[in-house]
Amino acid sequence: MVSPPREYTLDVYRLSSVVTQHDAKKAGAEVVKQVEHPLLSGLLYPGLQALDEEYLKVDAQFGGVDQRKIFTFAEKYLPALGYAKRVHLMNPMVPGLTGSKMSSSEEDSKIDLLDRKEDVKKKLKKAFCEPGNVENNGVLSFIKHVLFPLKSEFVVLREEKWGGNKTYTDYEALEKDFAEQVVHPGDLKNSVEVALNKLLDPIREKFNSPELKKLSSAAYPTPSKAKPGEKGPKNSEPEEVIPSRLDIRVGKVISVEKHPDADSLYVEKIDVGEAEPRTVVSSLVQFVPKEQLQDRLVVLLCNLKPQKMRGVESQGMVLCASSVGEPREVEPLDPPAGCCAGERVYVEGYEGGEPDEELKPKKKVFEKLQADFRVSEDCVAQWKQRNFLTKLGRVSCKSLKGGTIS
C-alpha cells in the first residue's frame, strides 16, 4: 500500500481548518450515509475527494448527479487553498444491469469499454429485464442513455414469425411497447448486444496495440489471488445458496386492480399473515382474468427487496408456472386446498433454516435457485426434482407440465 504524499496529508489538515461541519455534511449528503451522529470519516470524505483533483493533476472530474454537492464543495474550497477550480461533468443516475444502482464495484451491473463480446453477452443474459417492467431496468437504461443519444434510433431484431425487425425513433415508444409486452425481453437483450458491440468494436481494435494493452493492464490490474492457506478480503467461504433462504408463503388475494399507468400490470393486495396485506404488482393481465385472481390462494415470494414498478412499490412476487413454447401460457402456482394465508412453503428436504430477512439483489440468490425451478410431468412445482410443499401437501399448477417457474 502506497502512503499519500506528505503535502496531501498537510492539505487535509489545512482544509479541515476552513471547512465547517455544516458544509462537510451537506457535501456528502447524497453519497455518505446520513445519521444523527455522523462518523468523522463521513465528514472528511468530500474533502479527500476534492483534494484528489489536485493531487491526481486532473483537468476535470466526471460522475453521476449524486456527486454534484461534492463537486460544488470542491469548486468552493480548492481555490481557498490556492488550487485551480476544475471542470465538473455529470450524467444521470441510471440503474445497472442487475436492477440496482450501477456500480464500478459490481462487475455484472455495467458494461466496460474493453469488455469482450462474450462478456457483453454474459452480462446481458444475466441482466434484470422482467417482462413489462420498465422500473430499474438496466437494459432499457442502456438504450435510453447510451444508444439513442448516439444513433437517434434503435432496432429491435426478431424473427419474422414474431413480427420481424422494428425500428424505433424515440425511446418513449419503445418503453411503451415493452411495458405492454409487445417487445420480448429476449429480443431486447439480443438487440442491445448487437448495438453495443458495434459501438465497442472500434475501441477494442484501438486497444489491441501493445502500447495500449500495457496501459490497460497497468490501469486495471488483474486482482491477485491469495496464496494457498491464505484468505484475502474477498476470499471468504462462498455463501450457501439453498431454498430455505427464500421466504415463500401462501397468500390470499384480497383485491385486484389494473395498474393506473400500465395496461399489462395488476396491483394486488395479498394477505400473507401479517398485520397488513402486501401490495404486489404482477404482469398477469394478459394471462389471468381479474376474477380468477380475486380471493384466490397464491404462492408469494416475500423477501425480495421491494421495487417500484411503474410508480407502485411491489412487496413480493407471485410465483407462476410458464409454458416453454409459444404461445406463452402462465398459471399462478396453487397451494394445497385448506391452506391459510401466511403458511410457509418450503422445498422437500429444506424444511429447516431461517430465510434471509431480505434477499440482496447483488447476491442473486433467487435467480440462482430459480434456474432449477421446474414443473414436473404431474404438474408439481419442484427445485432440482424436490417438491415444493406446505404442511398440507404439494404445490402445483393446473396444466403446464414441464414448464418453468418465475
Side-chain angles (χ1 to χ4, degrees):
M1 183 177 175
V2 180
S3 299
R6 177 175 180 270
E7 293 79 7
Y8 181 92
T9 302
L10 291 175
D11 273 340
V12 172
Y13 293 141
R14 290 175 63 204
L15 195 61
S16 299
S17 70
V18 296
V19 175
T20 65
Q21 180 195 27
H22 172 271
D23 282 2
K25 189 173 182 180
K26 180 181 178 182
E30 294 186 52
V31 293
V32 177
K33 187 174 182 180
Q34 299 298 295
V35 294
E36 185 178 355
H37 302 291
L39 295 174
L40 181 59
S41 59
L43 296 174
L44 287 173
Y45 181 88
L48 301 179
Q49 184 171 324
L51 286 173
D52 285 345
E53 295 182 349
E54 173 63 25
Y55 283 88
L56 292 173
K57 302 302 178 187
V58 300
D59 297 311
Q61 187 177 170
F62 175 71
V65 292
D66 62 336
Q67 300 285 321
R68 61 187 181 272
K69 292 181 180 178
I70 291 183
F71 290 170
T72 302
F73 176 95
E75 291 180 12
K76 176 180 179 180
Y77 283 105
L78 281 188
L81 300 184
Y83 299 134
K85 184 188 297 187
R86 266 60 175 192
V87 173
H88 293 110
L89 307 168
M90 290 175 284
N91 67 347
M93 298 297 293
V94 298
L97 294 175
T98 55
S100 54
K101 178 182 174 182
M102 187 180 292
S103 170
S104 59
S105 61
E106 186 182 358
E107 187 61 32
D108 287 339
S109 75
K110 60 192 175 70
I111 301 290
D112 290 321
L113 290 175
L114 298 180
D115 273 348
R116 302 168 302 165
K117 288 187 177 182
E118 49 266 43
D119 295 327
V120 174
K121 179 182 286 291
K122 181 181 176 183
K123 289 179 180 181
L124 285 170
K125 186 176 181 181
K126 294 165 63 178
F128 173 79
C129 193
E130 186 179 48
N133 186 1
V134 299
E135 300 287 343
N136 299 313
N137 189 321
V139 180
L140 282 173
S141 77
F142 259 102
I143 298 171
K144 181 177 182 178
H145 295 288
V146 178
L147 300 177
F148 257 111
L150 289 173
K151 296 290 185 180
S152 300
E153 67 175 32
F154 180 75
V155 182
V156 174
L157 306 171
R158 55 191 178 189
E159 297 179 36
E160 286 297 330
K161 63 180 179 180
W162 306 127
N165 297 350
K166 183 170 181 179
T167 300
Y168 291 89
T169 54
D170 68 277
Y171 172 76
E172 287 70 24
L174 172 61
E175 183 181 280
K176 181 175 183 291
D177 277 0
F178 185 82
E180 295 175 357
Q181 300 191 36
V182 174
V183 175
H184 189 275
D187 293 329
L188 193 73
K189 289 182 178 184
N190 291 338
S191 305
V192 170
E193 179 187 343
V194 170
L196 282 177
N197 280 323
K198 284 182 180 178
L199 290 176
L200 296 177
D201 278 341
I203 302 171
R204 295 178 183 129
E205 182 65 28
K206 184 78 173 177
F207 272 77
N208 212 23
S209 68
E211 182 184 1
L212 289 180
K213 278 185 176 180
K214 183 178 179 181
L215 175 65
S216 176
S217 179
Y220 302 102
T222 303
S224 58
K225 294 183 179 179
K227 296 177 181 178
E230 290 185 344
K231 284 189 178 181
K234 292 193 177 181
N235 287 304
S236 55
E237 291 296 318
E239 287 187 316
E240 194 174 19
V241 181
I242 54 176
S244 55
R245 294 183 63 180
L246 305 179
D247 182 5
I248 306 177
R249 303 184 219 167
V250 175
K252 183 173 182 179
V253 180
I254 298 173
S255 67
V256 189
E257 300 295 338
K258 280 279 194 75
H259 193 296
D261 297 317
D263 292 339
S264 62
L265 302 177
Y266 283 133
V267 179
E268 303 130 0
K269 294 288 185 182
I270 301 180
D271 178 9
V272 288
E274 297 171 334
E276 298 290 335
R278 293 195 179 206
T279 300
V280 177
V281 181
S282 302
S283 53
L284 293 173
V285 171
Q286 65 175 322
F287 301 110
V288 185
K290 178 179 173 181
E291 56 272 16
Q292 288 186 18
L293 278 177
Q294 182 66 49
D295 298 322
R296 179 177 184 149
L297 290 180
V298 293
V299 176
L300 194 73
L301 178 60
C302 294
N303 59 341
L304 288 174
K305 184 178 180 179
Q307 192 168 43
K308 283 195 173 182
M309 296 178 67
R310 300 296 293 271
V312 177
E313 185 175 79
S314 183
Q315 300 167 321
M317 177 192 290
V318 176
L319 294 181
C320 298
S322 299
S323 60
V324 176
E326 296 290 341
R328 186 174 177 228
E329 295 180 73
V330 175
E331 297 174 358
L333 295 183
D334 292 316
C339 283
C340 296
E343 281 188 36
R344 188 176 177 193
V345 177
Y346 55 88
V347 171
E348 188 176 7
Y350 292 88
E351 295 86 343
E354 284 295 315
D356 291 13
E357 183 174 341
E358 181 179 278
L359 297 173
K360 304 301 180 186
K362 291 183 180 181
K363 302 286 187 180
K364 293 190 170 292
V365 173
F366 173 69
E367 289 81 358
K368 291 173 183 175
L369 291 167
Q370 188 259 339
D372 292 303
F373 287 0
R374 292 289 183 275
V375 178
S376 71
E377 289 303 309
D378 53 353
C379 292
V380 176
Q382 296 183 330
W383 176 77
K384 292 187 175 181
Q385 299 183 324
R386 293 172 178 261
N387 295 335
F388 281 54
L389 301 169
T390 72
K391 63 183 180 181
L392 295 181
R394 303 183 300 181
V395 173
S396 61
C397 69
K398 185 178 178 182
S399 63
L400 300 180
K401 300 177 182 180
T404 60
I405 298 172
S406 59

